[in-house]
Amino acid sequence: MTSLISTLPGRSYTDPEVFAEEQARIFENLWFCAVKAEDLPKPGAFKTVQIGRESVIVVRGRDDRLRAFLNVCRHRGARLCVEDAGEVRRTIRCAYHAWSYDLDGRLAAAPNLAKMPDIDRAEYGLVPVHLREWLGYAWLCLAAEPPSFEETVTHSATERLGDPAAIERYHVDKLALGRRVVYDVRANWKLIVENFMECYHCATIHPELTAVLPEFAGGYAAQYYVGHGAEFAARAEGFTVDGSRGFGKLPDVSEDQDRRYYAITVKPQVFVNLVPDHVIVHRMFPMAVDRTVVECDWLYHPDVVASGADLSLSVELFHRVNEQDFDACERTQPGMSSRAYRAGGVLVPSEHHISLFHQWVNQRLRG
C-alpha cells in the first residue's frame, strides 16, 4: 500500500473560478441544510439564507408549513427581504414597487393590479425552492429536479453508522436548541470538511477532546470506521470540557451507543455529532473562496433546556474544538496559495478516506 496519496491542488482552495463552479454545481444542485425549523415558530416568521449565488427566503405559512422561495421580486428583481430574519404580518412586500406575495408565494397585490386582469397571480408568484425537513432542519435544493433526498442526505447517516435506525434513536428533530455559536472562518469550505473528517491532528491541537476520547490521540477519527463510535475515557462521566457528568442518556439511545461519540458528514455542508445526552450540528455557509460561516447548534432534550440547566461545561468542550479546528484551517489557507502547494499536499494512511471526498468534489465539478 502507498503510504502517501495526493490531495487536491492548491488552486482548488484559492481560485474564485473554482469556487464559482462549486457554487453552481454543488451548492446550487444538492440538498443544503439551511434553517432550524424552531427558528420559525409562527406564521409569518422568516429567515433568509445564502445558497451558492442565490438568496433564499424560508417562511412559515398560515397553514404552519415551511416554504422556501428565491428572494427576488418578480416585477423588477428587487430583493424582497433584506434582513437575516424577521416576521411579516400578512404578505411579503417589495419595498420598491409594492408588489406583495402571500406566504404561499402567490402574487397577492400590486399597484393597479385590478386593471391588469390578464396577469396570472400564480405564474407571477415567487419562485419556489424545494424543501424537505429532517433532524428538525429545513433542507433546500435549488435544482429544478433535486437528487433523491434519501440517497444523498439520509443515506449519509446509514453509510456512517451502519444502521438506519441508529440516528433515529436520538430523535434529533425533537431536541431543543440549547446554544448556538456562529463562527466566521477565513478558510475555504473544503479545508473545514477535511479537518472534520480526520483525527491525525487531534493529539496536537485537541487536548480537551482527547482527554474525553483517548482513542483520538492515536490519529484515527471515528469516521474512519463504519459504525464505530469513539469510547469515552474511563474517568469521563460525560461529554464535557472537564469530563464531569452531563444530563443523562437521551431516552431511546441504545446501550451500545451510550458513552460513545459518533460523527457524520453530510456532503456538502453539514456535520452531525452524536453523544448520549446531546447532539451538535454544524452548518457551513461558503461565502467566498476563502471565507466560510459556520453555525453550530447544541441540541438537548427539551426538559433540560426548559429547566434552565447550566449548559456551559457541555457546550465549552466542542466550542474549544471548533476554535482549535478553525484556527488550524485559517493557518492552512495562506499555504494554499504557495508555490510549495501548487500540486497539493499528501494524505497519510489515517487520512486516506479524505480522498473519497476529493473524488466526490471532482466528480461533481465534471458533471
Side-chain angles (χ1 to χ4, degrees):
M1 183 182 76
T2 302
S3 294
L4 301 180
I5 59 178
S6 298
T7 68
L8 296 170
R11 69 180 292 266
S12 180
Y13 306 88
T14 62
D15 190 334
E17 291 185 7
V18 172
F19 182 68
E21 197 173 357
E22 291 171 345
Q23 287 180 304
R25 294 181 177 269
I26 295 177
F27 300 110
E28 295 173 16
N29 264 292
L30 298 177
W31 289 99
F32 189 102
C33 186
V35 173
K36 182 157 177 56
E38 75 173 61
D39 290 343
L40 306 174
K42 59 182 180 179
F46 73 86
K47 290 198 75 170
T48 57
V49 60
Q50 190 73 23
I51 302 178
R53 298 160 296 182
E54 294 280 4
S55 176
V56 180
I57 305 166
V58 185
V59 63
R60 189 170 294 281
R62 280 184 280 275
D63 57 0
D64 204 41
R65 280 183 56 195
L66 289 180
R67 293 180 177 86
F69 307 98
L70 297 184
N71 190 9
V72 177
C73 181
R74 296 298 307 282
H75 172 222
R76 296 270 296 282
R79 180 157 291 191
L80 293 165
C81 297
V82 296
E83 305 90 354
D84 291 336
E87 185 179 326
V88 296
R89 290 188 177 182
R90 294 188 59 80
T91 61
I92 299 170
R93 184 176 183 272
C94 179
Y96 191 4
H97 294 97
W99 278 40
S100 300
Y101 304 87
D102 284 330
L103 301 184
D104 62 4
R106 181 182 172 87
L107 178 63
N112 304 317
L113 187 60
K115 298 179 180 179
M116 297 177 277
D118 59 316
I119 291 182
D120 185 324
R121 298 192 183 206
E123 181 182 353
Y124 285 92
L126 298 178
V127 176
V129 173
H130 299 281
L131 185 152
R132 291 282 299 267
E133 291 189 56
W134 187 56
L135 303 182
Y137 289 83
W139 300 67
L140 312 181
C141 185
L142 298 177
E145 296 183 8
S148 165
F149 191 84
E150 290 70 27
E151 291 179 9
T152 59
V153 177
T154 59
H155 176 68
S156 298
T158 302
E159 185 178 46
R160 165 67 188 91
L161 301 177
D163 175 7
I167 195 168
E168 295 173 7
R169 300 186 190 110
Y170 293 84
H171 297 291
V172 184
D173 60 324
K174 301 295 194 299
L175 301 183
L177 181 65
R179 188 76 54 84
R180 173 174 294 154
V181 179
V182 180
Y183 306 86
D184 199 331
V185 188
R186 297 185 301 277
N188 183 270
W189 68 279
K190 296 187 296 298
L191 291 178
I192 299 174
V193 174
E194 293 163 8
N195 170 278
F196 184 73
M197 291 182 70
E198 55 93 356
C199 218
Y200 191 46
H201 67 278
C202 288
T204 308
I205 70 172
H206 293 321
E208 298 88 356
L209 183 65
T210 53
V212 176
L213 304 174
E215 71 180 69
F216 277 6
Y220 284 87
Q223 293 192 74
Y224 189 83
Y225 312 94
V226 174
H228 178 70
E231 190 172 3
F232 290 9
R235 66 158 195 84
E237 295 184 66
F239 196 73
T240 55
V241 72
D242 60 357
S244 59
R245 189 174 183 275
F247 301 102
K249 182 170 68 70
L250 292 167
D252 291 335
V253 169
S254 66
E255 289 302 319
D256 62 345
Q257 291 172 310
D258 195 12
R259 294 184 57 77
R260 288 187 178 270
Y261 162 85
Y262 299 87
I264 302 165
T265 300
V266 185
K267 297 186 293 286
Q269 47 83 245
V270 177
F271 310 141
V272 182
N273 309 270
L274 306 168
V275 292
D277 66 336
H278 66 282
V279 172
I280 306 162
V281 177
H282 294 74
R283 288 170 290 143
M284 293 194 304
F285 297 84
M287 308 304 290
V289 70
D290 57 357
R291 178 180 174 233
T292 309
V293 172
V294 183
E295 289 193 9
C296 186
D297 292 347
W298 282 260
L299 311 175
Y300 299 84
H301 192 283
D303 292 347
V304 171
V305 176
S307 72
D310 182 3
L311 306 176
S312 59
L313 294 177
S314 178
V315 170
E316 182 64 21
L317 175 55
F318 228 89
H319 174 57
R320 290 193 192 180
V321 170
N322 285 338
E323 290 191 318
Q324 292 155 354
D325 279 338
F326 298 153
D327 176 68
C329 292
E330 289 184 342
R331 284 187 282 115
T332 302
Q333 182 67 36
M336 300 297 98
S337 300
S338 170
R339 68 191 67 189
Y341 210 80
R342 191 169 293 158
V346 293
L347 301 171
V348 301
S350 64
E351 303 171 305
H352 280 187
H353 58 294
I354 295 175
S355 68
L356 297 176
F357 169 63
H358 293 160
Q359 292 169 25
W360 177 85
V361 170
N362 285 331
Q363 288 166 358
R364 296 300 312 181
L365 295 187
R366 293 193 197 107

